Amino acid sequence: MQIDILTIFPDYFREAFDYGIIRRARAASLVEIKAHDLRSWTSDKHKMVDDRPFGGGDGMVLKPEPIFAAVESLTGAKRGADVPSNKRVVLLSPQGKQFTQSTAAEFAQSEQLVLVCGRYEGVDERVAEALVTDEVSIGDYVLSGGEPAALVVIDAVVRLIPGALGSETSATTESFSEGLLDYPHYTRPPDFEGLKVPEVLLTGHHAEIAKWRSKAAEEKTKKNRPDLLKE
Ligand code: SAM
């Protein structure tokens, strides 16, 4: 898989992909990740990527021209409608659809993922209207830029590329994969200052442990995310 990040701060990502699962996936050539400077696709001498908003108001808006040019040079497509089905062009935006584990699984199927990071007041709306295939938000809060959101999306997607996790089954037992949160995990010591590990986990009785874990996952979901149970 090829992941291209469009940003005005490519150095933001300098070491971000040098750790853990992403580093291993890159080393195994399962994924290649590049952060591109949006200014490379400007044609004026000041390399302007932003301008004042039409209609007035605070702040600056990222201009459409460099973003359209960048996406065309990276994907070969001029518009979202022309993007081949094995590629996704994603605008990170608080106004986007909620990014979830199932979005991550969908993106993990593609051969190329282009992530467009906004800044300032945001991105000229024609990018959302005509250029991207998806507009996604990582949550109901406003970040200063799309870069941290791109990191979140990349991390969630890369771990779902077949072969990226040590064990193929790990991702299927994690939170959200079965509509529930993960079950609680414990390690040594069995008694930490009077805080005890549930007895059943120390018995080695696999069927009982599986039963306990499934009940504990349900209870944790009920307590912290009852909305998942409704879905
Ligand atoms: N004016 C915009 C609004 O109120 O919806 C906020 C713009 S924000 C300060 C600048 C950029 O950060 C956005 O263009 C987007 O790329 C990114 N961003 C902020 N919050 C985000 C979120 N929850 N999910 C994804 N991207 C986000």
Side-chain angles (χ1 to χ4, degrees):
M1 176 187 233
Q2 168 75 36
I3 300 181
D4 295 289
I5 309 162
L6 282 177
T7 171
I8 59 170
F9 297 128
D11 284 350
Y12 183 94
F13 298 94
R14 214 180 306 149
E15 288 186 21
F17 308 120
D18 292 348
Y19 303 94
I21 288 165
I22 299 190
R23 183 187 61 77
R24 283 209 310 271
R26 290 175 60 223
S29 302
L30 295 174
V31 64
E32 191 182 350
I33 309 174
K34 279 190 192 150
H36 304 271
D37 189 345
L38 193 55
R39 290 192 168 82
S40 316
W41 284 278
T42 52
S43 44
D44 62 303
K45 82 169 188 247
H46 299 295
K47 297 188 176 298
M48 259 182 64
V49 288
D50 58 334
D51 210 334
R52 288 188 301 274
F54 277 129
D58 291 334
M60 301 294 270
V61 176
L62 288 187
K63 291 161 67 59
E65 303 95 314
I67 303 178
F68 274 73
V71 169
E72 185 179 356
S73 81
L74 292 170
T75 66
K78 265 181 167 314
R79 297 282 187 272
D82 307 325
V83 173
S85 58
N86 61 350
K87 301 181 179 199
R88 304 292 274 255
V89 180
V90 179
L91 174 64
L92 297 153
S93 156
Q95 299 144 36
K97 289 191 186 149
Q98 175 88 46
F99 179 73
T100 64
Q101 187 71 6
S102 64
T103 330
E106 237 184 78
F107 289 175
Q109 309 276 322
S110 42
E111 278 166 33
Q112 187 186 20
L113 193 60
V114 179
L115 298 171
V116 182
C117 302
R119 275 275 156 179
Y120 316 125
E121 277 310 306
V123 177
D124 186 288
E125 189 64 17
R126 286 165 287 191
V127 169
E129 282 166 4
L131 180 64
V132 298
T133 57
D134 302 87
E135 183 178 6
V136 303
S137 162
I138 61 158
D140 290 347
Y141 37 78
V142 178
L143 304 166
S144 315
E147 290 78 8
L151 287 182
V152 167
V153 169
I154 291 169
D155 196 293
V157 168
V158 169
R159 55 190 288 111
L160 295 180
I161 298 174
L165 293 179
S167 140
E168 284 297 329
T169 56
S170 322
T172 63
T173 60
E174 284 183 322
S175 292
F176 312 112
S177 56
E178 304 279 326
L180 293 178
L181 300 178
D182 196 3
Y183 55 77
H185 299 267
Y186 295 89
T187 184
R188 273 180 284 270
D191 184 336
F192 170 68
E193 297 180 359
L195 301 170
K196 294 201 167 86
V197 170
E199 201 67 40
V200 62
L201 299 180
L202 311 175
T203 62
H205 195 303
H206 296 303
E208 286 304 311
I209 290 172
K211 219 156 86 186
W212 179 88
R213 284 180 167 164
S214 133
K215 192 158 173 280
E218 242 179 85
E219 277 166 9
K220 187 139 197 195
T221 309
K222 208 180 288 174
K223 177 169 167 246
N224 288 350
R225 293 294 305 275
D227 55 305
L228 293 178
L229 291 174
K230 272 187 222 132
E231 277 170 31

